[in-house]
Amino acid sequence: MKTIDELLAEGVDGKRVFVRADLNVPLAEGAITDDGRIRAVLPTVKALAGAGAKVVVASHLGRPKGAPDPAFSLLPAAERLGELLGAPVAFAQDTVGPAAHDAVDGLQPGQVAVIENLRFNAGETSKDDAERAGFAEQLAALADVYVGDGFGAVHRKHASVYDLPAKLPHYAGYLIATEVGVLKKLTDEVKRPYAVVLGGAKVSDKLGVIDHLLEKADRILIGGGMAYTFLKAQGHEVGISLLQEDQIPAVKDYLKRAEARGVEFVLPVDVLVSPDFPDLKTKAPANPTTVAADAIPADQEGLDIGPETRKLYASKLADAATVFWNGPMGVFEHPDYAEGTKAVAQALVDSAAFTVVGGGDSAAAVRQLGFDENAFGHISTGGGASLEYLEGKTLPGLAALEN
């Protein structure tokens, strides 16, 4: 795929450059709680503006129903982008209507505008090819060149990600180029031992990546809510812990295949349990109990890995040359259940390995728990996109940039 460096070499002075970013930041009462995705697109926006482009930034935020919804406005993200750039950023209150055209027409070389949430238009996410293409045609009228830099959205076959690049000269931004380079180090150019840490709530969310990594990883460490389906598959009582019984046959198959291939599957040896899910708003003390992973009481719920598991996992990561981590080890949003996730993050920091934090909740946890982002090899901006790439899937947004 062509990169932004090639575009800059060709020259962008005075050109309208459409940057498909991922500004899908978490909001609490209208305030951004993690601006990592906005900061991730800064190098691309700064380079284009610095070269005299008229930069049109577009993104989705949340899941509005194909119509304007103030709760999902991109205005807070546009304001934060302006703060980080240290320059005014124009904001259009629609996607392809008069406000968008006025904002773009008003740009001088080196200036930036953000158009409203792309998902306020049903054509962005439509499964109808013609409807999607129609919206892409309207977006194309705002620009002369397309730069794809929203890695968190490249696994979506959406108008601004998949259809629009075909209508304009197209290039990959710095973020996408970096993300793809990192993922190749996890698939095609792996240094061993290669350890993978998978957490999060559901086994079903990780089935494809586990299946694919069984062919590539040397050891796979399991935590989070998905661990209890693995423990149940081994015949253990898991109480009222999160459980996907319909996935037990698949999990048993993975454990059998891992043993046959010599891939080490590492499961919790102890867990923190409670009869009640913690209050994440007040962060009231939860007073968990630590029990062996094979001795969870029938009326208790597992909510984090225990202290012995933390030590075990740290030891399994200590000698790795490559580590990929996706998914927290417990309910890290509550301080009483954050130690497992914190221990994995610290093990990555302490490791000499090339370490990749696979976006989503893992990236949020790293920031929330106070870790220096520079202490990791790479923190991805796209959890779902990273996982699908590691599953070996073709990502529509990347395919569009490669064409």
Side-chain angles (χ1 to χ4, degrees):
M1 65 178 73
K2 286 188 174 182
T3 68
I4 186 175
D5 284 333
E6 294 173 82
L7 171 60
L8 293 169
E10 294 166 10
V12 293
D13 189 25
K15 289 184 178 178
R16 301 170 302 163
V17 181
F18 188 103
V19 177
R20 202 327 181 167
D22 180 9
L23 308 182
N24 185 27
V25 292
L27 298 172
E29 298 178 358
I32 296 169
T33 58
D34 182 354
D35 67 358
R37 285 177 169 169
I38 301 175
R39 287 185 285 112
V41 78
L42 284 177
T44 290
V45 174
K46 284 181 175 179
L48 291 167
K54 300 175 180 181
V55 186
V56 183
V57 180
S59 176
H60 71 285
L61 191 151
R63 296 179 182 273
K65 305 297 184 184
D69 182 339
F72 296 106
S73 174
L74 271 179
L75 179 59
E79 292 174 339
R80 181 58 179 151
L81 178 62
E83 291 171 2
L84 292 168
L85 289 172
V89 168
F91 180 70
Q93 294 182 326
D94 59 26
T95 55
V96 291
H101 281 273
D102 287 347
V104 174
D105 291 345
L107 290 176
Q108 296 299 311
Q111 292 184 336
V112 180
V114 173
I115 63 174
E116 186 55 285
N117 192 337
L118 293 165
R119 291 186 182 176
F120 285 1
N121 190 303
E124 169 68 0
T125 59
S126 176
K127 291 191 176 5
D128 181 272
D129 292 347
E131 185 179 10
R132 246 188 9 260
F135 182 49
E137 197 71 50
Q138 291 178 290
L139 291 172
L142 297 172
D144 305 305
V145 181
Y146 177 94
V147 172
D149 214 31
F151 181 74
V154 293
H155 59 313
R156 305 294 188 193
K157 193 176 181 180
H158 291 169
S160 65
V161 176
Y162 178 74
D163 301 89
L164 182 55
K167 300 181 183 298
L168 294 168
H170 48 272
Y171 303 79
Y174 288 125
L175 175 61
I176 279 186
T178 298
E179 294 272 13
V180 171
V182 166
L183 288 168
K184 284 183 177 176
K185 291 183 180 180
L186 299 177
T187 52
D188 304 328
E189 307 156 9
V190 182
K191 291 184 178 177
R192 300 185 178 280
Y194 179 17
V196 175
V197 187
L198 296 175
K202 296 179 179 178
V203 174
S204 54
D205 292 342
K206 305 289 195 303
L207 285 177
V209 76
I210 294 172
D211 186 68
H212 207 66
L213 287 172
L214 279 173
E215 308 296 321
K216 296 182 180 293
D218 296 301
R219 62 185 72 123
I220 300 175
L221 287 60
I222 302 291
M226 62 186 286
Y228 302 101
T229 301
F230 278 86
L231 292 170
K232 186 73 171 181
Q234 291 185 325
H236 303 310
E237 169 66 57
V238 296
I240 57 172
S241 304
L242 192 61
L243 175 65
Q244 288 187 284
E245 294 221 36
D246 61 322
Q247 301 300 332
I248 288 176
V251 165
K252 285 182 176 179
D253 178 61
Y254 290 149
L255 292 170
K256 193 179 297 182
R257 283 172 54 198
E259 185 176 7
R261 291 189 61 82
V263 177
E264 186 179 8
F265 243 107
V266 190
L267 299 178
V269 294
D270 62 345
V271 295
L272 269 60
V273 299
S274 170
D276 303 302
F277 195 83
D279 188 324
L280 300 183
K281 275 197 172 180
T282 66
K283 305 287 199 295
N287 302 315
T289 304
T290 301
V291 299
D294 61 358
I296 298 173
D299 63 344
Q300 303 275 310
E301 179 177 10
L303 295 164
D304 193 15
I305 57 173
E308 292 305 313
T309 304
R310 293 172 217 153
K311 291 179 195 172
L312 173 64
Y313 285 15
S315 72
K316 296 294 183 183
L317 297 173
D319 68 339
T322 303
V323 180
F324 173 71
W325 170 34
N326 182 280
M329 297 293 99
V331 187
F332 73 91
E333 298 91 343
H334 191 285
D336 286 354
Y337 301 104
E339 292 303 315
T341 301
K342 191 183 293 184
V344 167
Q346 188 62 54
L348 267 66
V349 169
D350 294 341
S351 171
F354 175 63
T355 56
V356 178
V357 180
D361 286 342
S362 311
V366 162
R367 298 184 183 108
Q368 182 176 312
L369 297 173
F371 287 90
D372 179 359
E373 294 180 42
N374 295 319
F376 302 88
H378 180 70
I379 298 179
S380 179
T381 56
S386 295
L387 288 177
E388 290 199 17
Y389 189 100
L390 293 178
E391 287 178 38
K393 290 184 177 179
T394 297
L395 305 188
L398 297 185
L401 291 175
E402 286 165 354
N403 287 341

